[in-house]
Amino acid sequence: MAGGSVSECKEYLFKVLVIGELGVGKTSIIKRYVHELFSQHYRATIGVDFALKVINWDSKTLVRLQLWDIAGQERFGNMTRVYYKEAVGALVVFDVTRSSTFDAISKWKHDLDTKVKLPNGNPIPSVLLANKCDQKDASSTSPSALDGFCKEAGFLGWFETSAKDNINVDEAARFLVENILASVKGLPYEENTGDRVQLDQDMAVAESKSGCC
């Protein structure tokens, strides 16, 4: 019986991008989510960093989230297509205290949609994060305006987040994973991409040792 239950367990490896302008808190969000840590002093990410979060989603589903922390200045770089390849979801981050970082979101989303798609040709599920909401003088866009923006730009939804105070980081990630799982249901995901998944894992382990590439 025990052997039967093990064979029924599904394992997924999902590559999720974390993108947005320089200094919006992408690294802080990942560190909070994966390691439950926060620091004021992360250096700017150069190129791309990796982090792995393992989630016991339910009794029959194990999800490994491979989070790609892509540097803010990389949007127009030639490497972004390589970084985006095979991604199945994205967190797009802006800083509520800096309106210029919100203004850039449309460009990031357009870049994302033109460089990576799901196997069925649809855009990959993406969630907008209004980060640094702990800063009380934040001049954030109104909720109704963000609702409208998300609908227009093709985001699943948005969350006010604070990596510092641990607000909505887990909730936003869970919402994204729910939608990724829904998008792959019915697809022979594990069978078709087993080799690629292993390759990605090896690559992530190798890259994480150096911290960046």
Side-chain angles (χ1 to χ4, degrees):
M1 289 293 288
S5 63
V6 169
S7 66
E8 290 166 16
C9 183
K10 287 199 171 208
E11 292 192 17
Y12 296 96
L13 178 70
F14 293 144
K15 175 178 174 178
V16 170
L17 310 174
V18 184
I19 57 178
E21 293 293 281
L22 186 67
V24 295
K26 300 182 295 295
T27 301
S28 295
I29 285 169
I30 290 172
K31 298 284 190 194
R32 167 63 77 183
Y33 180 53
V34 175
H35 304 295
E36 298 179 10
L37 296 172
F38 178 79
S39 166
Q40 299 276 15
H41 306 295
Y42 294 126
R43 73 192 191 290
T45 302
I46 298 169
V48 62
D49 269 346
F50 302 92
L52 190 69
K53 172 86 168 180
V54 180
I55 310 165
N56 293 305
W57 189 258
D58 56 35
S59 60
K60 293 184 177 178
T61 313
L62 182 78
V63 173
R64 288 186 176 87
L65 272 194
Q66 190 186 91
L67 296 151
W68 286 49
D69 178 3
I70 295 172
Q73 65 270 36
E74 289 289 342
R75 184 176 77 230
F76 301 112
N78 293 329
M79 288 297 290
T80 51
R81 193 175 293 278
V82 176
Y83 295 155
Y84 289 6
K85 191 179 179 187
E86 309 286 5
V88 294
L91 297 170
V92 188
V93 188
F94 74 97
D95 175 349
V96 295
T97 69
R98 292 190 291 141
S99 60
S100 62
T101 65
F102 176 73
D103 296 339
I105 290 295
S106 294
K107 293 175 184 172
W108 278 101
K109 185 67 165 68
H110 178 263
D111 197 52
L112 186 68
D113 291 347
T114 55
K115 289 181 178 172
V116 62
K117 287 183 169 48
L118 293 176
N120 62 8
N122 289 339
I124 65 172
S126 55
V127 176
L128 181 65
L129 304 188
N131 195 38
K132 306 189 185 181
C133 71
D134 55 279
Q135 299 190 18
K136 299 300 179 194
D137 57 348
S139 55
S140 62
T141 312
S142 71
S144 59
L146 280 172
D147 287 342
F149 175 79
C150 284
K151 202 169 186 178
E152 192 177 313
F155 286 98
L156 298 170
W158 63 276
F159 288 80
E160 278 193 325
T161 57
S162 167
K164 183 179 180 182
D165 291 349
N166 198 17
I167 297 169
N168 280 341
V169 174
D170 286 358
E171 291 81 353
R174 185 169 185 85
F175 177 69
L176 179 61
V177 173
E178 280 173 356
N179 280 276
I180 293 171
L181 282 166
S183 75
V184 301
K185 286 289 192 253
L187 295 175
Y189 185 85
E190 304 94 330
E191 292 80 6
N192 277 1
T193 58
D195 293 341
R196 191 263 301 165
V197 164
Q198 187 57 50
L199 180 68
D200 272 1
Q201 274 185 311
D202 294 342
M203 185 177 170
V205 170
E207 294 293 354
S208 65
K209 287 175 184 170
S210 65
C212 61
C213 67

Coordinates of all heavy atoms in Angstrom, one line a residue, residues 126-198:
S126 N 1.1 35.7 -14.4 CA 1.9 36.7 -13.7 C 1.1 37.5 -12.7 O -0.1 37.8 -13.0 CB 2.6 37.7 -14.8 OG 1.7 38.3 -15.6
V127 N 1.8 37.9 -11.6 CA 1.1 38.6 -10.5 C 1.9 39.9 -10.3 O 3.2 39.9 -10.3 CB 1.1 37.7 -9.3 CG1 0.5 38.5 -8.1 CG2 0.2 36.5 -9.5
L128 N 1.2 41.0 -10.1 CA 1.9 42.3 -9.8 C 2.0 42.5 -8.3 O 1.1 42.3 -7.5 CB 1.0 43.4 -10.4 CG 1.6 44.8 -10.3 CD1 2.9 45.0 -11.0 CD2 0.5 45.8 -10.8
L129 N 3.2 42.8 -7.9 CA 3.5 43.1 -6.4 C 3.8 44.6 -6.2 O 4.7 45.1 -6.8 CB 4.7 42.3 -5.9 CG 4.6 40.7 -6.1 CD1 5.7 40.1 -5.4 CD2 3.2 40.2 -5.6
A130 N 2.9 45.2 -5.4 CA 3.2 46.6 -5.0 C 4.0 46.6 -3.7 O 3.4 46.5 -2.6 CB 1.8 47.3 -4.8
N131 N 5.3 46.6 -3.8 CA 6.1 46.3 -2.7 C 6.5 47.5 -1.8 O 6.3 48.7 -2.3 CB 7.4 45.6 -3.2 CG 8.2 45.0 -2.0 OD1 7.6 44.4 -1.1 ND2 9.5 45.1 -2.1
K132 N 6.9 47.3 -0.6 CA 7.3 48.3 0.4 C 6.1 49.1 0.9 O 6.1 50.2 1.2 CB 8.3 49.3 -0.2 CG 9.6 48.7 -0.8 CD 10.7 49.6 -1.1 CE 11.9 48.9 -1.8 NZ 13.0 49.9 -2.1
C133 N 5.0 48.3 1.0 CA 3.7 48.9 1.5 C 3.8 49.3 3.0 O 3.0 49.9 3.6 CB 2.5 48.0 1.3 SG 2.5 46.5 2.3
D134 N 4.9 48.8 3.7 CA 5.1 49.2 5.1 C 5.5 50.6 5.3 O 5.4 51.2 6.4 CB 6.2 48.3 5.7 CG 7.5 48.4 4.9 OD1 7.6 47.7 3.8 OD2 8.4 49.2 5.3
Q135 N 5.9 51.3 4.2 CA 6.4 52.7 4.3 C 5.1 53.6 4.2 O 4.5 53.7 3.2 CB 7.4 53.0 3.2 CG 8.6 52.1 3.3 CD 9.7 52.6 2.4 OE1 9.7 53.7 1.9 NE2 10.7 51.7 2.2
K136 N 4.8 54.1 5.4 CA 3.5 54.8 5.5 C 3.2 56.0 4.6 O 2.1 56.3 4.2 CB 3.3 55.3 7.0 CG 3.4 54.2 8.0 CD 2.3 53.1 7.8 CE 2.4 52.0 8.8 NZ 1.6 50.9 8.5
D137 N 4.3 56.6 4.2 CA 4.2 57.8 3.3 C 4.1 57.3 1.8 O 4.3 58.1 0.9 CB 5.3 58.8 3.5 CG 6.7 58.2 3.3 OD1 6.8 57.0 3.3 OD2 7.6 59.0 3.3
A138 N 4.0 56.0 1.6 CA 4.0 55.5 0.3 C 2.9 56.2 -0.5 O 1.7 56.2 -0.1 CB 3.8 54.0 0.3
S139 N 3.2 56.6 -1.7 CA 2.2 57.3 -2.6 C 1.7 56.2 -3.6 O 2.0 56.3 -4.8 CB 2.9 58.4 -3.4 OG 4.0 58.0 -4.0
S140 N 1.1 55.2 -3.1 CA 0.7 54.1 -3.9 C -0.5 54.4 -4.8 O -1.3 55.3 -4.5 CB 0.4 52.8 -3.1 OG -0.7 53.1 -2.2
T141 N -0.6 53.7 -5.9 CA -1.7 53.9 -6.8 C -3.0 53.3 -6.1 O -2.9 52.4 -5.4 CB -1.4 53.1 -8.1 OG1 -0.1 53.5 -8.6 CG2 -2.4 53.5 -9.2
S142 N -4.1 53.9 -6.4 CA -5.3 53.4 -5.7 C -5.7 52.0 -6.1 O -5.4 51.6 -7.2 CB -6.5 54.4 -6.1 OG -6.9 54.1 -7.4
P143 N -6.3 51.3 -5.2 CA -6.7 49.9 -5.5 C -7.5 49.7 -6.8 O -7.3 48.8 -7.6 CB -7.5 49.5 -4.3 CG -6.9 50.3 -3.2 CD -6.6 51.6 -3.8
S144 N -8.5 50.6 -7.0 CA -9.3 50.5 -8.2 C -8.5 50.7 -9.4 O -8.7 50.1 -10.5 CB -10.5 51.5 -8.1 OG -10.0 52.8 -8.0
A145 N -7.5 51.6 -9.4 CA -6.7 51.9 -10.5 C -5.8 50.7 -10.8 O -5.6 50.3 -12.0 CB -5.8 53.1 -10.3
L146 N -5.3 50.0 -9.7 CA -4.5 48.8 -9.9 C -5.3 47.7 -10.5 O -4.8 46.9 -11.3 CB -3.8 48.4 -8.6 CG -2.6 49.2 -8.2 CD1 -2.1 48.9 -6.8 CD2 -1.4 48.9 -9.2
D147 N -6.6 47.6 -10.0 CA -7.5 46.5 -10.6 C -7.6 46.7 -12.1 O -7.5 45.7 -12.8 CB -8.9 46.6 -9.9 CG -8.9 46.1 -8.5 OD1 -7.9 45.4 -8.1 OD2 -9.8 46.5 -7.7
G148 N -7.9 47.9 -12.5 CA -8.0 48.2 -13.9 C -6.8 48.0 -14.7 O -6.8 47.4 -15.8
F149 N -5.6 48.4 -14.1 CA -4.3 48.2 -14.8 C -4.0 46.7 -15.0 O -3.6 46.3 -16.1 CB -3.2 48.9 -13.9 CG -1.8 48.6 -14.5 CD1 -1.4 49.3 -15.6 CD2 -1.0 47.6 -13.9 CE1 -0.1 49.1 -16.1 CE2 0.2 47.4 -14.5 CZ 0.7 48.1 -15.5
C150 N -4.3 45.9 -14.0 CA -4.0 44.5 -14.1 C -4.9 43.8 -15.1 O -4.4 43.0 -15.9 CB -4.3 43.8 -12.7 SG -3.0 44.1 -11.5
K151 N -6.1 44.2 -15.2 CA -7.0 43.7 -16.2 C -6.5 44.0 -17.6 O -6.5 43.2 -18.5 CB -8.4 44.2 -16.0 CG -9.5 43.4 -16.6 CD -10.9 43.9 -16.1 CE -12.0 42.9 -16.6 NZ -13.3 43.3 -16.1
E152 N -6.1 45.3 -17.8 CA -5.7 45.8 -19.1 C -4.4 45.1 -19.5 O -4.1 44.8 -20.6 CB -5.5 47.3 -19.0 CG -5.4 48.0 -20.3 CD -5.3 49.5 -20.2 OE1 -6.1 50.1 -19.5 OE2 -4.4 50.1 -20.7
A153 N -3.4 45.0 -18.5 CA -2.1 44.5 -18.8 C -2.0 43.0 -18.8 O -1.0 42.5 -19.3 CB -1.1 45.1 -17.8
G154 N -3.0 42.3 -18.3 CA -3.0 40.8 -18.4 C -2.4 40.2 -17.2 O -2.0 39.0 -17.2
F155 N -2.4 40.9 -16.0 CA -2.0 40.3 -14.8 C -3.1 39.5 -14.1 O -4.3 39.9 -14.3 CB -1.5 41.3 -13.8 CG -0.1 41.9 -14.1 CD1 0.0 43.1 -14.8 CD2 1.0 41.3 -13.7 CE1 1.2 43.7 -15.1 CE2 2.3 41.8 -14.0 CZ 2.4 43.0 -14.7
L156 N -2.8 38.4 -13.5 CA -3.9 37.7 -12.7 C -4.5 38.5 -11.6 O -5.6 38.3 -11.3 CB -3.3 36.4 -12.1 CG -2.7 35.4 -13.1 CD1 -1.9 34.3 -12.3 CD2 -3.8 34.7 -13.9
G157 N -3.7 39.4 -11.0 CA -4.1 40.2 -9.9 C -2.9 40.9 -9.3 O -1.8 40.8 -9.8
W158 N -3.1 41.6 -8.2 CA -2.0 42.3 -7.5 C -2.1 42.1 -6.0 O -3.1 41.9 -5.5 CB -2.0 43.8 -7.9 CG -3.2 44.5 -7.5 CD1 -4.4 44.6 -8.1 CD2 -3.3 45.3 -6.3 NE1 -5.3 45.4 -7.4 CE2 -4.7 45.8 -6.3 CE3 -2.5 45.6 -5.2 CZ2 -5.1 46.6 -5.3 CZ3 -3.0 46.4 -4.2 CH2 -4.3 46.9 -4.2
F159 N -0.9 42.3 -5.4 CA -0.9 42.2 -3.9 C 0.0 43.4 -3.4 O 1.0 43.7 -4.0 CB -0.2 40.9 -3.4 CG -1.1 39.7 -3.6 CD1 -1.2 39.1 -4.8 CD2 -1.8 39.2 -2.5 CE1 -2.0 37.9 -5.0 CE2 -2.5 38.0 -2.7 CZ -2.6 37.4 -3.9
E160 N -0.4 44.0 -2.3 CA 0.5 44.9 -1.6 C 1.4 44.0 -0.8 O 0.9 43.2 0.0 CB -0.3 45.9 -0.7 CG -0.9 47.1 -1.4 CD -1.4 48.1 -0.3 OE1 -1.8 47.7 0.7 OE2 -1.2 49.3 -0.6
T161 N 2.7 44.2 -0.9 CA 3.6 43.3 -0.2 C 4.6 44.2 0.6 O 4.9 45.3 0.2 CB 4.4 42.4 -1.1 OG1 5.1 43.2 -2.1 CG2 3.5 41.4 -1.8
S162 N 5.2 43.6 1.6 CA 6.3 44.1 2.3 C 7.2 43.0 2.7 O 6.8 42.1 3.5 CB 5.9 44.9 3.6 OG 7.0 45.1 4.4
A163 N 8.4 42.9 2.1 CA 9.4 41.9 2.5 C 9.8 42.2 3.9 O 10.1 41.3 4.7 CB 10.6 41.9 1.5
K164 N 9.9 43.5 4.3 CA 10.4 43.8 5.6 C 9.5 43.3 6.7 O 9.9 42.7 7.7 CB 10.5 45.4 5.7 CG 11.1 45.9 7.0 CD 11.2 47.4 7.0 CE 11.7 47.9 8.4 NZ 11.8 49.3 8.4
D165 N 8.2 43.6 6.6 CA 7.2 43.2 7.6 C 6.5 41.9 7.3 O 5.5 41.5 8.0 CB 6.2 44.3 7.8 CG 6.8 45.6 8.4 OD1 7.9 45.5 8.9 OD2 6.1 46.6 8.3
N166 N 6.9 41.2 6.2 CA 6.4 39.9 5.8 C 4.9 40.0 5.6 O 4.1 39.2 6.1 CB 6.7 38.8 6.9 CG 6.5 37.4 6.3 OD1 6.5 37.2 5.1 ND2 6.3 36.5 7.2
I167 N 4.5 41.0 4.8 CA 3.1 41.2 4.4 C 2.8 40.6 3.0 O 3.4 41.0 2.0 CB 2.7 42.7 4.5 CG1 2.9 43.2 5.9 CG2 1.3 42.9 4.0 CD1 2.8 44.7 5.9
N168 N 1.9 39.6 2.9 CA 1.4 39.1 1.6 C 2.4 38.4 0.7 O 2.1 38.1 -0.4 CB 0.7 40.2 0.8 CG -0.7 40.5 1.3 OD1 -1.3 39.7 2.0 ND2 -1.2 41.7 1.0
V169 N 3.6 38.2 1.2 CA 4.6 37.5 0.4 C 4.2 36.1 0.1 O 4.2 35.7 -1.1 CB 6.0 37.6 1.0 CG1 7.0 36.8 0.1 CG2 6.5 39.1 1.1
D170 N 3.9 35.4 1.2 CA 3.5 34.0 1.0 C 2.2 33.9 0.2 O 2.0 33.0 -0.6 CB 3.3 33.3 2.4 CG 4.6 33.0 3.0 OD1 5.7 33.2 2.4 OD2 4.6 32.5 4.2
E171 N 1.3 34.8 0.5 CA -0.1 34.8 -0.1 C 0.1 35.0 -1.6 O -0.6 34.4 -2.4 CB -1.0 35.9 0.5 CG -1.4 35.6 1.9 CD -0.4 36.0 3.0 OE1 0.8 36.3 2.6 OE2 -0.7 35.8 4.2
A172 N 0.9 36.0 -2.0 CA 1.1 36.3 -3.5 C 1.7 35.1 -4.2 O 1.3 34.7 -5.3 CB 2.0 37.5 -3.6
A173 N 2.7 34.5 -3.5 CA 3.4 33.3 -4.2 C 2.4 32.1 -4.3 O 2.3 31.4 -5.3 CB 4.6 32.9 -3.3
R174 N 1.6 31.9 -3.2 CA 0.6 30.8 -3.3 C -0.4 31.1 -4.4 O -0.8 30.1 -5.1 CB -0.1 30.7 -1.9 CG -1.0 29.5 -1.9 CD -1.6 29.2 -0.5 NE -2.3 27.9 -0.6 CZ -1.8 26.7 -0.5 NH1 -0.5 26.5 -0.4 NH2 -2.6 25.7 -0.6
F175 N -0.9 32.3 -4.5 CA -1.8 32.6 -5.6 C -1.3 32.3 -7.0 O -1.9 31.8 -7.8 CB -2.2 34.1 -5.5 CG -3.1 34.6 -6.5 CD1 -4.5 34.2 -6.6 CD2 -2.7 35.6 -7.5 CE1 -5.3 34.7 -7.6 CE2 -3.5 36.1 -8.5 CZ -4.8 35.6 -8.5
L176 N 0.0 32.7 -7.2 CA 0.7 32.4 -8.4 C 0.8 30.9 -8.7 O 0.5 30.4 -9.8 CB 2.1 33.1 -8.5 CG 2.8 32.8 -9.8 CD1 2.1 33.4 -11.0 CD2 4.3 33.4 -9.7
V177 N 1.2 30.2 -7.7 CA 1.4 28.7 -7.8 C 0.1 28.0 -8.1 O 0.0 27.1 -9.0 CB 2.1 28.1 -6.6 CG1 2.1 26.6 -6.7 CG2 3.5 28.6 -6.4
E178 N -1.0 28.5 -7.5 CA -2.3 28.0 -7.8 C -2.7 28.1 -9.2 O -3.2 27.2 -9.9 CB -3.4 28.7 -6.9 CG -3.5 28.2 -5.5 CD -4.5 29.1 -4.7 OE1 -5.0 30.1 -5.3 OE2 -4.7 28.8 -3.5
N179 N -2.4 29.3 -9.8 CA -2.6 29.5 -11.2 C -1.7 28.7 -12.1 O -2.1 28.3 -13.2 CB -2.6 31.0 -11.5 CG -3.8 31.7 -11.0 OD1 -4.8 31.8 -11.8 ND2 -3.8 32.3 -9.8
I180 N -0.5 28.6 -11.7 CA 0.5 27.7 -12.5 C 0.0 26.3 -12.6 O -0.1 25.7 -13.6 CB 1.9 27.8 -12.0 CG1 2.5 29.2 -12.1 CG2 2.8 26.8 -12.7 CD1 3.8 29.5 -11.4
L181 N -0.4 25.8 -11.4 CA -0.9 24.4 -11.3 C -2.1 24.2 -12.2 O -2.3 23.3 -12.9 CB -1.2 24.0 -9.9 CG 0.0 23.7 -9.0 CD1 -0.4 23.6 -7.6 CD2 0.6 22.3 -9.5
A182 N -3.0 25.2 -12.2 CA -4.2 25.2 -13.0 C -3.8 25.2 -14.5 O -4.5 24.5 -15.3 CB -5.1 26.4 -12.7
S183 N -2.8 25.9 -14.9 CA -2.4 26.1 -16.3 C -1.7 24.8 -16.8 O -1.7 24.5 -18.0 CB -1.5 27.3 -16.5 OG -0.2 27.0 -16.0
V184 N -1.1 24.0 -15.9 CA -0.5 22.8 -16.3 C -1.3 21.5 -16.2 O -1.0 20.4 -16.6 CB 0.9 22.5 -15.6 CG1 1.8 23.7 -15.9 CG2 0.7 22.2 -14.2
K185 N -2.5 21.6 -15.5 CA -3.4 20.5 -15.3 C -3.8 20.0 -16.7 O -4.2 20.7 -17.6 CB -4.6 20.9 -14.5 CG -4.4 21.1 -13.0 CD -4.1 19.8 -12.3 CE -4.1 20.0 -10.8 NZ -3.0 20.0 -10.1
G186 N -3.7 18.7 -16.9 CA -4.1 18.1 -18.2 C -2.9 18.0 -19.1 O -3.0 17.4 -20.1
L187 N -1.8 18.7 -18.8 CA -0.6 18.6 -19.6 C 0.3 17.5 -19.1 O 0.5 17.4 -17.9 CB 0.2 19.9 -19.6 CG -0.5 21.2 -20.2 CD1 0.4 22.4 -20.0 CD2 -0.7 21.0 -21.7
P188 N 0.9 16.7 -19.9 CA 1.8 15.7 -19.4 C 3.1 16.3 -19.0 O 4.2 16.1 -19.6 CB 2.0 14.7 -20.6 CG 1.7 15.6 -21.8 CD 0.7 16.7 -21.4
Y189 N 3.1 17.2 -18.0 CA 4.2 18.1 -17.7 C 5.5 17.3 -17.3 O 6.5 17.4 -17.9 CB 3.8 19.0 -16.6 CG 4.9 20.0 -16.2 CD1 4.9 21.2 -16.9 CD2 5.8 19.8 -15.2 CE1 5.9 22.2 -16.6 CE2 6.8 20.7 -14.9 CZ 6.8 21.9 -15.6 OH 7.7 22.9 -15.3
E190 N 5.3 16.4 -16.3 CA 6.5 15.7 -15.8 C 7.1 14.8 -16.9 O 8.3 14.8 -17.1 CB 6.1 14.8 -14.6 CG 5.5 15.5 -13.5 CD 3.9 15.4 -13.6 OE1 3.4 15.3 -14.7 OE2 3.3 15.4 -12.5
E191 N 6.3 14.0 -17.6 CA 6.8 13.1 -18.6 C 7.6 13.9 -19.7 O 8.7 13.5 -20.1 CB 5.7 12.3 -19.2 CG 5.0 11.3 -18.3 CD 4.0 12.0 -17.4 OE1 3.7 13.2 -17.6 OE2 3.5 11.3 -16.5
N192 N 7.0 14.9 -20.2 CA 7.5 15.6 -21.4 C 8.8 16.4 -21.1 O 9.6 16.7 -21.9 CB 6.5 16.6 -22.0 CG 5.6 15.8 -22.9 OD1 5.7 14.6 -23.1 ND2 4.6 16.5 -23.5
T193 N 8.9 16.9 -19.8 CA 10.0 17.8 -19.5 C 10.9 17.3 -18.5 O 11.7 18.1 -17.9 CB 9.4 19.2 -19.0 OG1 8.6 18.9 -17.8 CG2 8.5 19.8 -20.0
G194 N 10.9 16.0 -18.3 CA 11.8 15.4 -17.2 C 13.3 15.8 -17.5 O 14.0 16.2 -16.5
D195 N 13.7 15.7 -18.7 CA 15.2 15.9 -19.0 C 15.5 17.4 -18.8 O 16.5 17.8 -18.2 CB 15.5 15.6 -20.4 CG 15.4 14.1 -20.7 OD1 15.5 13.3 -19.7 OD2 15.3 13.7 -21.8
R196 N 14.6 18.3 -19.2 CA 14.8 19.7 -19.1 C 14.8 20.1 -17.6 O 15.6 20.9 -17.2 CB 13.7 20.5 -19.9 CG 14.0 21.9 -20.0 CD 13.3 22.8 -19.0 NE 11.9 22.7 -19.1 CZ 11.1 23.1 -18.1 NH1 11.6 23.6 -17.0 NH2 9.8 22.9 -18.2
V197 N 13.9 19.5 -16.8 CA 13.8 19.8 -15.4 C 15.1 19.5 -14.7 O 15.6 20.3 -14.0 CB 12.6 19.1 -14.8 CG1 12.7 19.1 -13.3 CG2 11.3 19.7 -15.2
Q198 N 15.6 18.3 -15.0 CA 16.9 17.9 -14.4 C 18.0 18.9 -14.8 O 18.8 19.3 -14.0 CB 17.3 16.5 -14.8 CG 18.5 15.9 -14.1 CD 18.3 15.9 -12.6 OE1 17.3 15.5 -12.1 NE2 19.2 16.5 -11.9

